[in-house]
Amino acid sequence: MIVNTAIVKAAAIFAASLSPDADRPPSGKSGFRLPFLQRKVTTEVAGLPALDIATASKDELCVAPDAADSAVAIDNQGGEQPEKQSILQKHPFMAACGITTINAFAADLLTQLVFESNPWNAKRSAVFAAFGFLYQGMAQYAIVNLGWEKLFPGTKPKAVISKIFGMNLLSDPILFMPTFYIFKEVMTQGSFGLATVKAALMGYKANCLMDWRNSWMVWFPGHTITYGVMKPHQRIPWMAFLSFFYMCVLSITRGGV
């Protein structure tokens, strides 16, 4: 219950940091407008006479297409500007890869220097950074936003629950954990081959029950926010924000290189 409450609070803080102020009316101006007055001003600016709708003739109400287009263009320029997109919205994939790489590196660095009080092992941090970039950034973006989202689109309860169970019972045990162990073994042995993969998977087999338990404590409630609250471009940054603490646990329990 403590973990769930902490995750919900973390989600609220994260979402608030990403919320734009685009809906707020400009300073000194009212957010309420009268459409007929706006149209009158527009026609005047466009060089057209302001018409009294009640007394105008049918011909006077007919506006040439070019003049109408000009009026619409000026109205768009003078009206509220379109919402500016954040970097996450413009470049969601690149932003996801950058955030997860820095996140994984920082989590291991903090664990080594603060929690374990050891000299910095740069090789170990490189494992976490590479894992953060290749799996948590590139692969996980495809899994979260393209894979499960295509199978169970939307935020209805059934779709959200299906994606939560899919991530926790399939994606993480079958993809996330084995990939991490293989990365770790490759960095340890300095080579990649069948023997390296076999040794990595044997290590995962010995630790899988504890690893699953640690993962599920974080990600069953965590993915409720991922799929139930966050927009697609916010999902990987949110997961990186939450996984910082999970990566610290992973660094302590499985970080030895």
Side-chain angles (χ1 to χ4, degrees):
M1 182 62 69
I2 295 176
V3 173
N4 293 1
T5 303
I7 289 173
V8 171
K9 290 182 178 179
I13 296 172
F14 180 84
S17 68
L18 295 178
S19 298
D21 292 329
D23 293 332
R24 185 182 303 167
S27 177
K29 296 183 180 180
S30 171
F32 178 76
R33 297 186 177 187
L34 296 176
F36 65 89
L37 290 179
Q38 185 178 353
R39 180 60 181 170
K40 181 177 179 179
V41 172
T42 301
T43 57
E44 287 177 345
V45 174
L48 301 174
L51 301 177
D52 185 346
I53 303 298
T55 60
S57 66
K58 181 177 179 181
D59 293 337
E60 289 176 324
L61 290 175
C62 295
V63 181
D66 293 341
D69 292 342
S70 175
V72 171
I74 294 175
D75 181 56
N76 288 338
Q77 293 176 3
E80 292 187 11
Q81 297 297 320
E83 178 184 345
K84 292 184 179 180
Q85 291 186 323
S86 65
I87 294 177
L88 294 181
Q89 292 171 303
K90 288 181 179 179
H91 310 288
F93 178 74
M94 294 176 61
C97 292
I99 290 171
T100 53
T101 302
I102 296 171
N103 176 75
F105 179 87
D108 179 66
L109 185 65
L110 177 68
T111 300
Q112 290 190 53
L113 301 182
V114 178
F115 298 147
E116 298 176 346
S117 300
N118 290 330
W120 180 42
N121 183 339
K123 189 175 182 180
R124 173 173 150 179
S125 294
V127 173
F128 277 83
F131 180 72
F133 176 75
L134 294 173
Y135 184 86
Q136 290 186 301
M138 295 179 65
Q140 201 157 244
Y141 183 90
I143 293 169
V144 171
N145 284 329
L146 303 179
W148 291 115
E149 187 61 35
K150 295 294 183 183
L151 289 174
F152 306 103
T155 56
K156 292 183 178 179
K158 184 178 179 180
V160 171
I161 291 171
S162 299
K163 288 180 279 195
I164 292 170
F165 275 85
M167 286 292 293
N168 280 287
L169 300 183
L170 293 176
S171 295
D172 289 349
I174 296 175
L175 297 175
F176 176 87
M177 291 292 180
T179 303
F180 173 77
Y181 274 86
I182 292 171
F183 262 91
K184 175 186 169 185
E185 196 67 26
V186 168
M187 294 299 293
T188 302
Q189 301 296 333
S191 62
F192 178 78
L194 214 54
T196 305
V197 173
K198 184 177 179 180
L201 296 180
M202 290 299 292
Y204 174 49
K205 181 181 178 181
N207 300 320
C208 64
L209 294 179
M210 182 178 292
D211 289 343
W212 294 347
R213 183 202 66 184
N214 292 340
S215 176
W216 292 339
M217 286 174 62
V218 175
W219 291 112
F220 264 107
H223 283 316
T224 304
I225 307 299
T226 302
Y227 283 114
V229 177
M230 296 297 168
K231 297 177 181 178
H233 67 275
Q234 296 173 337
R235 287 172 181 166
I236 300 301
W238 153 248
M239 291 171 65
F241 174 78
L242 184 58
S243 72
F244 182 87
F245 307 100
Y246 173 66
M247 292 299 287
C248 288
V249 173
L250 200 60
S251 178
I252 292 171
T253 58
R254 305 287 176 251
V257 173

